[in-house]
Amino acid sequence: MSRLPKIERFKNEVESKYQIFNGIFMTLPFDQISNTGGLLPLFHELCVSGYEKGKNPTEIVQYFFERYMRDTEEKERETMLFKFIQYIERQVVLFDAIEDAAFSKVNNLDGRGTLRSIKEEAVELDKTEELAAYLKEFKVRPVLTAHPTQFYPGAVLGILNDLGQAIKANQIQEVKLLLSQLGKTPFFNKEKPTPFDEAISLIWYLENVFYNAMGNIYDYLKTHIENPEEFKNQIVEIGFWPGGDRDGNPFVTTEITLDVAKRLRATLFRNYYRDVRKLRRRLTFKGVEEQLAVIESMCYKAIFETEVLDFTPEDLIHKLTSIRTLVFQDHNSLFLDQIDSFIHKVELFGFHFATLDIRQDSSAHDTVFDEILAFSKVQLPSNYNDLSEKEKINVLSQVEGSVDPNEYNDEYTQRTLSSIYAIKNIQERNGEKGCNRYIISNTQMASHIMEVYAMLRLCNMTQPKIDVVPLFETVPDLVNAPSVMRSLYENENYRSHVQRRGDTQNIMLGFSDGTKDGGYLMANWAIYKAKEALTSVSREFGISIVFFDGRGGPPARGGGQTHQFYASMGTKIEAKHIQLTIQGQTISSKFGTLESCQYNLEQMISSGVSNAVYASDANDFSPSDQATMDQLADTSYKAYTDFKAHPQFLSYLEKMSTLKYYAKTNIGSRPSKRAGSAELRFKDLRAIPFVGSWSQLKQNVPGFYGVGTALETMDKAGNWEQAQSLYKNNKFFRTLLDNSMMSLTKSFFGLTAYMEHDAVYGSFWKLIYEEYERSKKYMLMISGMNSLMENELAGRASIQARENIVLPLLTIQQYALKMVQDIQAQKESKNMETYERMVTRSLYGNINASRNSA
């Protein structure tokens, strides 16, 4: 490991190499227009100098045409812009590959936050016993979602992986070949992927990355923890949403859910089969080889079997353990570590590989219950919908009967009920861990949870082995969450269900929609307070709570640096589990290679240990700091809600951003809005297109809006010392501001400065810009930094390098948007389709370049 500072290692291993390989890429003849590679750097220079001089995107593009393409037709000019888009998309892939290849050199794989570091710190602090006890019950679960925030097709992902390997090995000729292949490989999906397609894409990461990374972590712990034979905790689990997430996605069917579960099991056995083949090459001993041959045959057959297998994970472990005993007793313990490693993987993954979650919106269940009430033999009071909330809970907790999805004419009801039967089917084939959670989006009241509990029992599961998981999303719902859960815990039947589930209640808290609803500061603080209150009420009833965070990717979606966030939770928040959604570019950036995956999983484990074992009560808020945080959050919330209520808020997004183009990109199976209404309504907006549209504008509003106003208000009221005290004392608040700084760093208002003079939206643009400047000023002031992300120089350098690559792409996008607006104003259709296609195509590279946002 180099002793150079991280920023220097980044410059040497990433920035310098990118300049070299990009120079090669720009000269490759993959393009029919020979001078594209020569003209793009000139266009890039014009963009940089143009914005410095206050030029707008249209002026920059027109000047480029006049200077370098004066004697060309309009069609040729448009073609050149499309070619620029293609080049820049591939430059982003090249940068990704170089960063992946340099991961182990830029990051210290044995440094702070790794398993080795955790162990050494425990020895130093004389806390080895506490560490061992904590690791025996602590769990980490990243949940892979299909949310489309990265647009690389499978073929491009394959090239990205191969390119990283070639760069790492300095195979220049191979890099040139792969760059040529990349140049001719399409990035654009002509058809929307199905949910099954999305699942296949993510299963690639399970098969090629997580399988080995998780195995390595488990091997290390079983070797280095005290009394390893007592360590039975599968410390890392994987959750999986593609194929099970029905919320707003009409294309997820029961058949797809079952097919995804089958593919997960088949892929796992393909990995098991490979491992057994490797073992057979080493364990060629008498009495051992024959037993391994039997296991190999079992695993091979299981790859293709779609029904219930005739053996269990326990059977497989028993056979492997008998082999281990034989090798230990008769064959000098040769290759014992390899046998142990395989046993550990079977302990980790069973027959399920990943746990498939089912998710649906509460409003869908209301519709289903109306159908059940009208057409079923189930005994429900005829006045069910008129009952009080308490009466509904009581009725639902005791409901009896059985429902058949085929009894109903309504397709929605059929699909909802059949999805519950699918859970039972998956558990029979893949084991209980194959699918054991039903998540209810938009949970607002206890009856939303009890409706699902009742449906589980009505689908022939009198004692369901399934966790009913509420998802509290908006700020009001988060405030109400503790009273909702109390009313459930007080219900005898539901409390018995929780007891059967190990006295554990899973609760999901949604950052993405919370940020969209209440702004950055309030959303995060409301979730923190909800966690404290939910922990308190659960402990009161003897229930251990598992928090599942819908953290998304970038800070604007409630994400940000994961390690610091979880390391900042206090003792008043249950923290025996860390569960969070991982999506899109965050999957490839954090978990795309074996090294980065293992490193980031270890960082998650470390953050839990740091908070629970080492920090103890140091992260708890003092009463005065909590009062300051309340004040800041309330002020920020008012600023954001006032902004959201501005009469031009929705029309600005609709007319001036890329919002409506997300639906045209064919990047994901799910529709871009919840409802099919022609009119744009805030409540129908999905968080990804909402946040993504601000990101494409380089305004990143959801990641900072209201923070500057809140800090300024404290300053002007003479309370700045309280704000400074909060920043100094509290890791959670510092982490929030660090993440918000990332959103500010990725903003660039020079791109849209022309909007200040727009007759309709000029004052609205200025409102956003002033809050950006205010937030930047006060975040630097409270942190004592001279520039944004001064404490994370390598991260800032990565962001700046990516933003620099896509600057011409952003310029082309804004130029095309302005052309569309002008054509619409003139009520002409001339070239409208061309410019709209230009906007859509430019979405790809801009989003892909943001992979370092979480």
Side-chain angles (χ1 to χ4, degrees), residues 705-776:
Y705 201 97
V707 179
T709 295
L711 291 170
E712 182 184 64
T713 302
M714 291 286 285
D715 183 30
K716 290 188 173 178
N719 298 323
W720 187 244
E721 284 186 6
Q722 282 122 291
Q724 283 186 311
S725 173
L726 174 64
Y727 184 85
K728 179 183 176 183
N729 298 337
N730 191 265
K731 186 186 285 187
F732 175 75
F733 183 60
R734 289 197 302 275
T735 299
L736 282 190
L737 292 198
D738 282 350
N739 287 337
S740 191
M741 280 190 190
M742 189 185 290
S743 289
L744 293 175
T745 303
K746 299 180 80 169
S747 298
F748 174 51
F749 279 82
L751 180 72
T752 56
Y754 70 92
M755 293 183 187
E756 183 180 1
H757 308 293
D758 187 271
V760 178
Y761 297 106
S763 59
F764 187 76
W765 180 91
K766 198 171 180 183
L767 192 69
I768 301 168
Y769 179 61
E770 287 171 351
E771 182 63 14
Y772 161 80
E773 288 288 346
R774 191 180 296 117
S775 298
K776 182 179 175 181

Side-chain angles (χ1 to χ4, degrees), residues 393 446 472 480-491 494 507 533-534 536-538 540-541:
I393 294 170
F472 299 104
N480 195 40
S483 63
V484 166
M485 296 314 298
R486 177 179 291 278
S487 65
L488 287 173
Y489 295 155
E490 288 173 345
N491 180 277
Y494 187 79
I507 295 179
L534 287 164
S536 176
V537 71
S538 298
E540 188 182 324
F541 285 86

Side-chain angles (χ1 to χ4, degrees), residues 518-585:
Y520 178 74
L521 211 55
M522 176 55 94
N524 282 277
W525 181 232
I527 286 171
Y528 188 96
K529 289 204 297 184
K531 282 186 174 182
E532 283 193 338
L534 287 164
T535 298
S536 176
V537 71
S538 298
R539 286 175 178 172
E540 188 182 324
F541 285 86
I543 294 169
S544 177
I545 203 162
V546 172
F547 289 117
F548 173 24
D549 294 317
R551 279 179 61 77
R557 278 182 55 71
Q561 296 298 340
T562 300
H563 176 269
Q564 290 94 321
F565 175 80
Y566 285 109
S568 70
M569 301 289 107
T571 58
K572 297 175 184 176
I573 292 175
E574 196 76 71
K576 290 178 183 175
H577 290 244
I578 288 177
Q579 298 193 6
L580 72 162
T581 54
I582 309 288
Q583 67 193 30
Q585 80 275 24

